[in-house]
Amino acid sequence: MQENERKKIVFSGIQPTGNLHLGNYIGALRNFGPLQEEYDCLYSIVDLHAITVRQNPTQLRQNCLKLMSLYLAAGLDPDRSLIYFQSHVPAHAELAWVLNCFTYMGELSRMTQFKDKAQKHAENINVGLFAYPTLMAADILLYQTNFVPVGNDQKQHIEITRDIAERFNAIYGDVFTIPEPLIGKVGARIMSLSDPTRKMSKSDPEDTFIAILDEPNVIRKKVRRAVTDSEALVKYDVENKPGVSNLMSIYSAVTGKGFAEIENEFVGKGYGDFKEAVADAVIAELEPIQARYRQISADKAYLNEVMTKGAERAAKLAARTMSKVRRKVGLAATQL
Ligand code: TYM
């Protein structure tokens, strides 16, 4: 790469809802830090997405700060990456509106996450929930993003983002960079501990997931209780042994060991030994993050500074794309 070549852009976001869990960590957050070495990264706390489901306002505000502290505790460096709240950069909502006008009802109604959430929140199937993917497309396209690190469940949303961007570019010329998802080989879909055929989810009961901030003894208890099978054989076989395979994915993701190596490690041993090893590995991974979290979350002045600086810098970048979009679609400039 030439010295003066611009670095590629990475964008990702996490919703400040509920408790961040091991699936969010392994599928997404853990991968954010290392990308800072090679790319210009933006990591947003996507609070506008969070309000597509009814939130308690006090709790939402706390969750936003909590998530920012976790970003920092997990190794995101505000000197290298932009860390900010989505709602602090109004261009996200502005571009989302424009993109809504280039998105079809039919494509949005095919989104798996919309169908799931509409079922879970049948009393509140609001327009925001429906248009969720166009706001996500705006997040990504505003910054001319090249790569989007996410878990497997967001793949469909990146695909629709690409479709919308290509549609827009076909009409107006090359306005948006077409983004690609970055999905890890292991751990892109961590399953529930109590039902390993379902995705681990923030909105499910506490005992189905390991929260990043769970105490070590709670983590151990949850892993011990995780549903497996009666075969007492540590073998990766998602079809027939979803529970064991899920624990193996978790173990593999945090230790870096491959599935064959893990199978060998536990030949002739029962699930008891295996689960203790999984719990030890998860605790060893999360404890340092929890310690940093306790320090960082107590420092409100620091959090304020990160949040303000991040939003200012992001707004400047977003304005460049937004002014191009305005010009292309024919919105008059504020100075004639
Ligand atoms: P959210 O907040 O639901 O989840 C945050 C990240 O965690 C990943 N994830 C998982 N990975 C593995 N196993 C699981 N069980 C699991 N559950 C969640 C998600 O794939 C995600 O990467 N729409 C996004 C937030 C968003 C966004 C964006 C992401 C808004 N704008 C722009 C990227 C780019 C969401 O709901 O993630």
Side-chain angles (χ1 to χ4, degrees):
M1 201 199 267
Q2 282 181 0
E3 279 282 359
N4 58 359
E5 206 171 299
R6 281 192 55 193
K7 284 189 187 170
K8 298 227 159 144
I9 312 278
V10 164
F11 181 97
S12 199
I14 297 182
Q15 293 194 70
T17 48
N19 272 319
L20 218 67
H21 56 63
L22 200 58
N24 301 127
Y25 177 70
I26 292 175
L29 182 55
R30 197 177 69 118
N31 308 322
F32 292 177
L35 292 167
Q36 299 175 120
E37 304 296 332
E38 208 177 324
Y39 303 110
D40 279 337
C41 302
L42 296 104
Y43 294 117
S44 187
I45 291 117
V46 292
D47 47 1
L48 294 174
H49 277 111
I51 60 168
T52 55
V53 170
R54 208 64 76 228
Q55 302 289 337
N56 171 310
T58 309
Q59 224 162 47
L60 178 59
R61 261 189 293 275
Q62 281 168 357
N63 275 337
C64 286
L65 283 177
K66 196 169 158 185
L67 182 53
M68 186 165 64
S69 306
L70 272 175
Y71 275 6
L72 297 164
L76 301 192
D77 171 0
D79 290 328
R80 288 191 291 173
S81 299
L82 302 194
I83 298 169
Y84 69 100
F85 292 10
Q86 181 189 35
S87 67
H88 290 177
V89 181
H92 287 250
E94 192 181 358
L95 182 59
W97 175 259
V98 175
L99 298 181
N100 275 333
C101 304
F102 293 84
T103 308
Y104 300 116
M105 306 273 289
E107 7 180 40
L108 288 179
S109 55
R110 283 195 292 276
M111 294 291 112
T112 313
Q113 185 168 308
F114 170 68
K115 288 193 260 185
D116 283 354
K117 287 206 175 169
Q119 218 171 32
K120 269 191 188 160
H121 306 277
E123 75 301 337
N124 181 19
I125 307 176
N126 61 68
V127 176
L129 195 63
F130 188 64
Y132 181 112
T134 51
L135 177 58
M136 180 159 161
D139 299 342
I140 296 168
L141 299 178
L142 259 185
Y143 301 100
Q144 307 296 343
T145 301
N146 300 96
F147 301 114
V148 189
V150 281
N152 202 41
D153 63 336
Q154 295 301 314
K155 200 169 159 206
Q156 199 183 30
H157 287 159
I158 314 284
E159 276 159 16
I160 196 175
T161 300
R162 292 168 58 94
D163 290 345
I164 299 168
E166 278 165 3
R167 187 172 304 147
F168 195 93
N169 284 354
I171 305 171
Y172 299 108
D174 278 342
V175 177
F176 297 125
T177 301
I178 308 297
E180 284 173 41
L182 285 183
I183 297 177
K185 284 199 181 67
V186 197
R189 190 173 173 83
I190 298 294
M191 311 308 275
S192 154
L193 299 179
S194 60
D195 177 357
T197 62
R198 284 167 51 112
K199 189 183 72 167
M200 185 177 279
S201 166
K202 285 180 218 156
S203 50
D204 282 350
E206 273 276 337
D207 57 342
T208 65
F209 61 79
I210 291 169
I212 300 190
L213 294 176
D214 272 346
E215 301 274 340
N217 63 331
V218 175
I219 296 176
R220 197 172 296 282
K221 222 185 287 167
K222 286 181 176 176
V223 174
R224 280 184 188 152
R225 281 206 204 121
V227 167
T228 48
D229 52 61
S230 53
E231 201 183 8
L233 175 67
V234 176
K235 181 165 175 269
Y236 191 77
D237 176 352
V238 176
E239 190 86 342
N240 300 305
K241 298 168 73 69
V244 169
S245 303
N246 189 38
L247 292 177
M248 282 179 76
S249 294
I250 293 173
Y251 191 57
S252 170
V254 294
T255 60
K257 294 178 185 172
F259 292 141
E261 191 182 347
I262 299 171
E263 285 170 3
N264 278 335
E265 188 178 342
F266 295 99
V267 168
K269 296 185 183 159
Y271 289 158
D273 287 344
F274 173 52
K275 285 180 164 178
E276 289 311 303
V278 174
D280 285 343
V282 171
I283 292 166
E285 175 84 10
L286 295 183
E287 263 189 328
I289 297 176
Q290 297 178 349
R292 282 197 296 274
Y293 172 84
R294 283 191 289 270
Q295 261 182 349
I296 292 167
S297 61
D299 192 346
K300 293 288 181 290
Y302 176 61
L303 293 175
N304 254 322
E305 187 192 316
V306 169
M307 162 176 106
T308 314
K309 199 171 82 181
E312 275 170 13
R313 289 164 62 197
K316 279 200 188 119
L317 294 175
R320 286 193 212 158
T321 301
M322 224 29 245
S323 91
K324 202 166 176 186
V325 167
R326 292 169 148 275
R327 193 157 36 80
K328 293 284 187 181
V329 298
L331 301 171
T334 48
Q335 291 288 307
L336 296 178

